[in-house]
Amino acid sequence: MFARQSAGGLMAHVRAVCESTSLAVVLYSRANAKYTPETLVILTDTCPNLIGFEDGVGDLESISTARPARLRDAVPKRNRADFMP
């Protein structure tokens, strides 16, 4: 079993990952790495290559309160045809 990480620890880790690469970064929230809406807003403001967030916990109501505009605008909307051969 893994211990749940603190918000400060998660932010430090994400910042280190984002600073170490020029690639796009997508966060995955899960039971032991749960991002609060406040943490998500701070990270999107400070990590320009953070482009996405996936909720693996099922707490969409909490995360939908943050909805950072930069994440919504970072990835162009695609339709199903874009992914079909």
Side-chain angles (χ1 to χ4, degrees):
M1 176 164 239
F2 296 98
R4 186 159 182 223
Q5 301 300 311
S6 69
L10 288 171
M11 282 200 300
H13 175 73
V14 172
R15 283 182 176 150
V17 170
C18 288
E19 289 172 1
S20 71
T21 184
S22 61
L23 297 173
V25 175
V26 176
L27 296 182
Y28 183 68
S29 185
R30 57 188 184 159
N32 64 337
K34 192 171 180 182
Y35 297 88
T36 65
E38 296 80 16
T39 300
L40 187 56
V41 168
I42 292 167
L43 287 170
T44 58
D45 287 344
T46 59
C47 300
N49 56 334
L50 177 60
I51 64 150
F53 176 81
E54 183 175 347
D55 176 55
V57 178
D59 189 8
L60 295 177
E61 186 173 325
S62 174
I63 294 303
S64 68
T65 62
R67 301 177 75 194
R70 203 176 62 67
L71 281 183
R72 285 196 311 267
D73 298 336
V75 180
K77 291 182 173 54
R78 297 184 182 262
N79 61 39
R80 184 178 170 157
D82 293 333
F83 299 100
M84 302 299 283

